[in-house]
Amino acid sequence: MPIDAVAGLDREHLRHLLAETIDADVADVGDDTDFVHTLGVDSLMALEVVVVLERTYGVKFTEAEMSTVRTLDSAYETVRGKLVRLP
């Protein structure tokens, strides 16, 4: 398990990254705030969120995983799970 990669995943940094990507105030990105229903993120912006996460953390999302990244918590847990499994 690459401890350094997982240790590099900071929830507050992720919150700021997501807020910037979806053009929202950081205060509006709560742990369980739904990006689509609460913040009005459309499918194109949701895809941009996934692309930013992939580039930032060096991971790849499957098509099924893309639709599950709808909150800060889900983004954090999905990226964390991927970092733990990196070779």
Side-chain angles (χ1 to χ4, degrees):
M1 170 189 341
I3 299 298
D4 293 338
V6 175
L9 179 62
D10 176 75
R11 185 177 290 271
E12 291 311 307
H13 175 263
L14 181 58
R15 185 183 316 275
H16 285 267
L17 180 66
L18 291 171
E20 181 180 322
T21 303
I22 63 175
D23 196 27
D25 289 335
V26 173
D28 293 337
V29 182
D31 291 350
D32 60 353
T33 301
D34 189 294
F35 304 146
V36 175
H37 292 292
T38 306
L39 300 178
V41 170
D42 63 16
S43 59
L44 187 58
M45 187 60 67
L47 180 59
E48 180 67 17
V49 166
V50 170
V51 169
V52 166
L53 292 174
E54 288 180 335
R55 287 183 182 160
T56 301
Y57 297 104
V59 297
K60 290 289 183 192
F61 285 77
T62 65
E63 195 169 321
E65 289 170 329
M66 289 180 190
S67 64
T68 66
V69 178
R70 295 178 57 129
T71 67
L72 174 65
D73 280 345
S74 64
Y76 181 86
E77 291 304 322
T78 302
V79 170
R80 185 178 185 285
K82 291 182 167 301
L83 291 174
V84 168
R85 291 188 296 273
L86 279 177

